[in-house]
Amino acid sequence: MIRIAITHPEAEARERWCAALSALLPHAQVEGWRPGDEPADYAIGWYPEAGFFADQPRLRALFSAGAGVDHLLRHPDLPAALPVVRLEDAGMAEQMVEYCLHEVLRLQRRVPDYEALQREGRWQELRALRRDELEVGVFGLGVLGAQVARAFAALGYPVRGYSRSPKAIEGVSCFDEARGLRAFLEGCRVLVLLAPLTPDTRDLFDGQRLAWLPEGAWLVNVARGALVVDEALLAALDSGRLAGATLDVFREEPLPAEHRFWTHPGVRITPHVSAVTLPEISARQVASKIAALERGEPVSGLVLRDRGY
Ligand code: NDP
Ligand code: OXD
């Protein structure tokens, strides 16, 4: 019988993963990990507890309980040769589409301006923007970014996207290194960040790159906080070069109480909820990958360690 260990820090998530996987893999023993447990064949985790890997001489793969793996790859005890497999969509793309669409519609229908007018008690009609006036740029055209880009394109917004390798997506003007990041950013009225945190993307959106965005652009960061240099973003907002930023992710989470983002009038904050892991749907994906690995077949979503995602 194969043993599957759940190493999630939240008790509720552990229970949901255990229940869902046990139902899908009745011949496996699935348990929340405790020190001293018998070694597991597979593990599912957000960030395994201290001591976990030392107790795992026969682990065959670690499944990330999320799409991003930057935190897992920074785990000091992660064995160098252990295959790490990430979640691919598993119900997150639909949530990302909803979140990004909501932010763009707010801008298009001038909601931030109406909120300001309401605070002043002013009754004033403003012209709503047309879809063709709001070019949406998606930085990162992977499993989630490509679906966000397609959703905006299907609604008639002009859409551009940027990825590491060249892409062709219907209705989306695709950029990579060859066309250049500057050319990409110069056309983004709204910039959605949806790329992983890697050595190449950390601090990428500094003062210089943010200044390549058009005057009055809006940033939506649903990727990882460290893609953006906080001070550079605050300076761009203070100067009015950027109209605003919607931030779902932060360098430090929870966002410290004293951080200026909390009170800045141009910043909208949500607590890392743009697309949450749904254990029941995710378990179906993980269970079918475990079954494939048991048959000796390859699986998708394998993290390439040298690339960082
Ligand atoms: P994928 O790995 O499927 O896609 C990543 C995309 O980013 C790819 O298109 C990749 O290019 C591109 N990319 C990687 N490095 C660079 C670079 N240096 N320059 C330009 N483009 C780059 O990931 P997902 O779409 O599944 O997820 C994206 C990220 O979203 C996750 O890593 C996670 O951090 C974040 N996330 C946040 C959530 C939240 O609730 N806020 C929820 C889920 C995910 P290429 O196609 O060439 O490989
Ligand atoms: C993820 C996340 O990476 O929730 O899945 O951020």
Side-chain angles (χ1 to χ4, degrees):
M1 177 179 274
I2 60 167
R3 287 183 60 87
I4 302 175
I6 312 292
T7 71
H8 204 288
E10 291 160 22
E12 192 206 323
R14 273 199 305 275
E15 280 160 26
R16 287 174 66 187
W17 273 103
C18 278
L21 276 172
S22 304
L24 292 160
L25 298 170
H27 301 301
Q29 187 168 6
V30 189
E31 276 174 355
W33 178 77
R34 282 175 308 246
D37 276 359
E38 218 183 284
D41 301 287
Y42 299 97
I44 293 137
W46 181 251
Y47 192 84
E49 297 94 322
F52 174 75
F53 289 111
D55 270 1
Q56 304 302 333
R58 63 168 206 239
L59 204 58
R60 280 180 254 165
L62 169 66
F63 288 88
S64 166
V69 291
D70 47 290
H71 56 299
L72 280 178
L73 299 186
R74 285 197 303 274
H75 197 295
D77 306 331
L78 182 71
L82 180 68
V84 176
V85 184
R86 64 188 206 88
L87 285 181
E88 299 172 284
D89 184 353
M92 285 187 268
E94 188 179 284
Q95 299 174 64
M96 276 300 181
V97 168
E98 288 167 359
Y99 187 98
C100 297
L101 189 57
H102 177 259
E103 290 308 303
V104 168
L105 283 172
R106 279 185 89 253
L107 291 180
Q108 190 182 342
R109 300 307 303 257
R110 309 286 299 266
V111 174
D113 299 321
Y114 283 122
E115 285 171 349
L117 287 170
Q118 183 179 346
R119 282 193 293 275
E120 294 169 24
R122 283 172 59 199
W123 178 278
Q124 186 187 336
E125 188 176 328
L126 305 170
R127 184 179 76 79
L129 299 170
R130 296 186 314 271
R131 291 183 188 186
D132 65 358
E133 291 175 299
L134 264 174
E135 177 137 12
V136 180
V138 184
F139 180 80
L141 290 173
V143 173
L144 302 179
Q147 293 195 63
V148 169
R150 277 196 197 96
F152 278 107
L155 288 169
Y157 292 90
V159 185
R160 52 177 56 203
Y162 191 97
S163 53
R164 217 167 70 120
S165 55
K167 295 264 183 297
I169 302 176
E170 202 185 328
V172 179
S173 173
C174 292
F175 290 70
D176 55 43
E177 214 176 8
R179 281 180 84 183
L181 184 58
R182 182 172 187 155
F184 166 72
L185 291 176
E186 281 174 350
C188 299
R189 177 73 175 70
V190 178
L191 172 65
V192 175
L193 300 184
L194 249 175
L197 176 60
T198 69
D200 290 339
T201 60
R202 180 176 288 278
D203 297 328
L204 186 63
F205 294 92
D206 58 7
Q208 185 190 24
R209 268 69 171 241
L210 290 175
W212 290 343
L213 289 165
E215 187 94 32
W218 192 285
L219 175 75
V220 178
N221 189 3
V222 283
R224 287 292 182 263
L227 265 69
V228 179
V229 177
D230 291 2
E231 288 311 316
L233 175 58
L234 285 165
L237 292 167
D238 287 342
S239 70
R241 261 206 54 75
L242 287 191
T246 302
L247 306 177
D248 182 53
V249 286
F250 303 89
R251 278 172 188 264
E252 189 182 342
E253 295 182 2
L255 182 64
E258 66 284 3
H259 200 292
R260 269 190 71 205
F261 283 157
W262 278 116
T263 49
H264 197 289
V267 176
R268 283 165 55 75
I269 289 176
T270 50
H272 200 140
V273 290
S274 49
V276 299
T277 297
L278 304 170
E280 290 73 21
I281 298 180
S282 308
R284 292 208 286 271
Q285 187 176 105
V286 171
S288 78
K289 288 185 183 183
I290 288 178
L293 291 172
E294 287 294 300
R295 293 192 300 269
E297 294 167 9
V299 294
S300 62
L302 200 60
V303 173
L304 303 180
R305 299 277 193 107
D306 54 346
R307 208 177 60 160
Y309 68 100

